[in-house]
């Protein structure tokens, strides 16, 4: 039983990490290099994360400057950022790419807060599915006394509740960050 619960908890931790990664992608009106974390650039025929082929700097909190290690990557980086649907407009220059991060409107902030909530709901569903799978595995084990089985099911619920609470905290923190002007 302990193995099942530990494995389930590890998988729930991965769900939280995935949620945090998704929430980092949602912009808050301030420039952050994490906004470009998932952008992939074609480099010698391979899709490569942008942060492996360039240096990303934040200027004055409102502008990102992407300086590729290889000048020939300015155009592919510009296209990759535009294609990533981040709501950003990259401007390619001689040896770098500038990205002005516009201030968010109130409607856009509300939409981004809804997106954060949606990611949170998806994480909760994933956590509940993991709990269901663990509970099924616990119930199927015939060699356990009924009391131990009931205790394991209780522990499974406690673990689930703690991870659901973590999801709520992450989402609320992100929503607060988004709505702060």
């Amino acid at each position: 039983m302990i193995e099942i619960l530990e494995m389930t908890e590890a998988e729930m931790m991965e769900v939280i990490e995935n949620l945090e990664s998704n929430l980092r992608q949602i912009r808050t009106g301030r420039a952050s290099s994490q906004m470009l974390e998932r952008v992939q650039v074609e480099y010698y025929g391979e899709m490569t994360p942008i942060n492996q082929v360039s240096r990303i700097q934040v200027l004055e909190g409102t502008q990102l400057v992407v300086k590729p290690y290889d000048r020939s990557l300015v155009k592919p980086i510009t296209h990759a950022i535009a294609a990533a649907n981040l709501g950003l407009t990259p401007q390619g220059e001689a040896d770098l790419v500038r990205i002005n991060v516009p201030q968010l409107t109130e409607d856009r902030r509300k939409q981004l807060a809804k997106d954060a909530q949606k990611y949170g709901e998806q994480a909760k569903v994933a956590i509940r599915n993991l709990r269901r799978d663990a509970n099924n595995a616990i119930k199927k084990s015939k060699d356990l006394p009924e009391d131990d089985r009931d205790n394991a099911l209780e522990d499974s619920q406690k673990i689930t509740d703690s991870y659901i609470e973590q999801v709520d905290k992450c989402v609320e923190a992100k929503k607060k960050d988004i709505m702060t002007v």
Side-chain angles (χ1 to χ4, degrees), residues 5 12-15 19 27 38 44 47 49 51 73 76 100 110 112 114 120 127 136 139 150 158-159 180:
L5 293 176
M12 287 181 181
M13 208 171 291
E14 288 178 21
V15 170
L19 170 67
R27 64 193 192 96
R38 290 192 179 166
Y44 290 106
M47 294 308 284
N51 60 359
L73 285 175
N100 288 317
K110 288 178 182 175
L112 291 173
K114 284 181 185 177
I127 288 171
N136 287 342
K139 289 175 185 175
D150 290 343
K158 287 178 186 174
I159 292 169
T180 302

Side-chain angles (χ1 to χ4, degrees), residues 14-147:
E14 288 178 21
V15 170
I16 296 292
E17 289 169 5
N18 186 33
L19 170 67
E20 289 170 347
S21 172
N22 286 337
L23 292 178
R24 277 195 301 270
Q25 302 307 310
I26 297 176
R27 64 193 192 96
T28 59
R30 290 182 298 278
S32 166
S33 61
Q34 293 175 339
M35 296 167 67
L36 302 178
E37 199 172 80
R38 290 192 179 166
V39 176
Q40 300 274 320
V41 179
E42 187 170 337
Y43 186 58
Y44 290 106
E46 293 290 322
M47 294 308 284
T48 309
I50 193 169
N51 60 359
Q52 291 183 11
V53 295
S54 62
R55 187 178 76 229
I56 302 170
Q57 290 179 301
V58 178
L59 298 180
E60 302 169 11
T62 60
Q63 189 178 71
L64 290 171
V65 175
V66 180
K67 187 157 176 60
Y69 302 130
D70 180 358
R71 286 182 129 187
S72 66
L73 285 175
V74 171
K75 228 176 187 175
I77 286 175
T78 304
H79 291 298
I81 293 169
N85 291 327
L86 299 173
L88 302 172
T89 307
Q91 300 164 340
E93 295 179 9
D95 62 345
L96 56 88
V97 177
R98 288 189 190 277
I99 306 164
N100 288 317
V101 179
Q103 288 296 320
L104 298 173
T105 63
E106 188 66 27
D107 289 341
R108 184 68 179 139
R109 287 180 191 279
K110 288 178 182 175
Q111 181 60 46
L112 291 173
K114 284 181 185 177
D115 290 347
Q117 187 68 40
K118 181 181 74 174
Y119 285 133
E121 290 304 318
Q122 290 171 348
K124 287 180 184 180
V125 167
I127 288 171
R128 290 182 186 122
N129 286 341
L130 291 170
R131 178 196 58 197
R132 183 197 61 221
D133 295 344
N135 287 350
N136 287 342
I138 291 168
K139 289 175 185 175
K140 285 182 183 176
S141 61
K142 302 291 183 194
D143 58 337
L144 264 181
E146 196 170 322
D147 289 344

